[in-house]
Amino acid sequence: IYIFVYKARPSKVRALSLFSSSGPSNWSKVVSDAEKIVGYPTSFMSLRCLLSDELSNVAVNVRKLVGTRHPLLSTARGFVYDNRNNLQMRGVIVLLMSKAAGPSHAASDALVQDMVSGIYPSQRNLAEITELIHTAFLVHRGIVNLKEWTVSDGPLKDMQFGNKMAVLSGDFLLANACTGLAKLDNTKVVELISSAIGDLVQGIYYESPSYTEVNVCITWEEQSFLSHGALLAKSCQAAMELANHDKEAQRLAYKYGKHLSLGHRLNSDLQPFVKSSVGEPVSFSLSAAPVVFHRQIVGEKRWRQQLQQAKTGGNQLDYSKILAAVKSEKGMSSAVDLCCYHGNKALEAIQTFPSSEARSALENIASAVTKC
């Protein structure tokens, strides 16, 4: 499958093989190269937070969950080793956007002198805050619904303990982020990031089965922006505000963050559908983009029939049957087309920024969204 994305100049386009692993750089390499441009890796940048007594106690207690299936354990492992470099993506992009835009014409000489590697200290703090907020919500997502608990998940008391740890550690990270946000001393930035936290909460609510079963008023794109795009989009805009850039620069930074996030989400949703082989066990969310688009194409009545046909004797879903149904229609191609669209829009947003190493890195990241 081939799509077209903008190159350095808007007048030129080039074809990229979607989800190709044979391209010049994979996702991990693109993010690693970007980290070198901004000075250091941003995953869990807040060492003040990480080395605190509170989180040290959390780390010790999380070890008690070894042997259970509590999601907090896998989340903690992801912080230590994430081979796809997804955790630090948001912080890296905020720093790259800051460096690509550079100082504004309204910035004083004294303010410019504070820059390190072309980035203001306040922008680095913002990237750290963005990471902490994202991580806090990842931890909170690890809370288990104990009504669905089974013996195979592990002892009930351990699952209850894991839930307490997920709530407390997530709250701790979020509190640190809010404290850092207040120290930026910029009312507009506080409003932007606070609204992004609200968007995250709303988006996660829309993801819940109890909502999706009774309400289809919100589109996949709207829900995905709330739960996956708002934080990065508004953080990129806030980075421009901290450097006193005008509204147009803020709008373009927001646009890049929004479209990149949606493209990245589409890419993740498509992975089980493009990499699965016949006979292999497969698992994916029924809220994944290809499934949602397939559901819209075939209609609610036929979708219910397909779900019923995919159920096994134990009333469990045979995901291979759903996979085959989705591939038989245009739900998957619709997701691919939308991934292409958002990748192009992200690239388009930064073409007015000065040509630089940072802008090239942003372009590479946007291109890698369609290849990783």
Side-chain angles (χ1 to χ4, degrees), residues 208-229:
S208 65
S210 59
Y211 181 87
T212 54
E213 285 175 7
V214 299
N215 196 316
V216 292
C217 293
I218 186 169
T219 66
W220 177 91
E221 207 160 353
E222 290 169 336
Q223 185 275 323
S224 295
F225 172 72
L226 290 171
S227 60
H228 290 80

Side-chain angles (χ1 to χ4, degrees), residues 103 107-124:
S108 64
D109 292 339
L111 191 62
V112 173
Q113 289 174 2
D114 290 336
M115 298 179 82
V116 177
S117 298
I119 302 169
Y120 293 114
S122 60
Q123 291 172 321
R124 290 192 181 272

